Amino acid sequence: SLLPQLINCGQRCDCTEHDLAKDRTISRLREKLHSLLEQTKKAEPTKPLKPPLPTIYVITPTYARLVQKAELTRLSHTFLLVPQLHWIVVEDSPHRTGLVSEFLSHSGLAFTHLHVATPHERKLQEGDPSWLKPRGAEQRNEGLRWLRENIRSQEGGVIYFADDDNTYSLQLFEEMRWTQRVSVWPVGLVGGMRYERPIVEQGHVVRFHTGWRPSRPFPLDMAGFAVSLRLVLANPEARFDGDAPMGFLESSFLQSLVTMEELEPKADLCTKVLVWHTRTEKPKMKREEAMQKQGLGSDPAVEV
Ligand code: UGA
Ligand code: MN
């Protein structure tokens, strides 16, 4: 609506009465312009006064199997909704695979792509019970190595070990973001229970609700804690022990970093479940195999 009036102002007129009217219009428009300029100034993005958000470094071990791309897709869609997140994907493989490389380059996430193969004697074999050997230990250590060699401790940050098959709420990431040393919270659907969790009294963790060996130093699932970047960089020896007995993998890492009293309880003093230890069923390939025998198998060039 300003435009026609401005155009009119530019037109000639010798009539004094009109001149007066025009002067008034011009002054009114000046005022309006001034107030609009003030408004745009206010609306302009200025430098944030708040300190920048600490980065969440998520370390995810992953290995080739039929459901891998589906798991990574689901996971990446959660992470895309989390501000200031850096995904460190570590393949259990002697080389970076094409599937994961392609996937990550199109993911829209800030990421680092690493790999290290679990040595044969430590690797779970087909048919072994899943509890026999720890999984993902070498891969998490490789992620820690990369952080120690590439990130300086002045940069605020927190490290979380996110397996590729679990289910993560967005709230979980905001709970862990400002971790000072080690944060903890409940994990749902784990250890043969509805949930496992630290028990908090007077603001401190005093023991753990778990169905199995509560006397372990840290009877926590991998999904139930996050560690500050500063603490990990200050303790270069802290790592996961791939030879740890069943249920002691998490303890092998946390033992050298904190005491139970120092743990920071999150998720409403550990009363809310914000992460679930879900496990994906292995798809049956009976039809596929039968059809392959008849020469009618599916096209191996189609990536699943
Ligand atoms: C439970 C815990 O939630 C894991 O954090 C822990 O590593 C594991 O037990 C253990 O005892 O080692 P669970 O569901 O039994 O988890 O293990 P998976 O989800 O099968 O594996 C954990 C992670 O390691 C996953 O991200 C998976 O992709 C990766 N993995 C698994 C490998 O990198 N290589 C393997 O051969 C198997
Ligand atoms: Mn799992």
Side-chain angles (χ1 to χ4, degrees), residues 61-63 65 92 123 134-136 140 163-165 221-222 249 277 279:
T62 187
Y63 69 110
R65 61 211 192 272
D92 185 350
K123 184 123 175 145
R135 276 133 290 149
R140 296 185 190 98
D163 292 350
D164 61 5
D165 55 346
D221 185 78
M222 200 65 71
L249 185 63
H277 182 255
R279 305 185 73 183

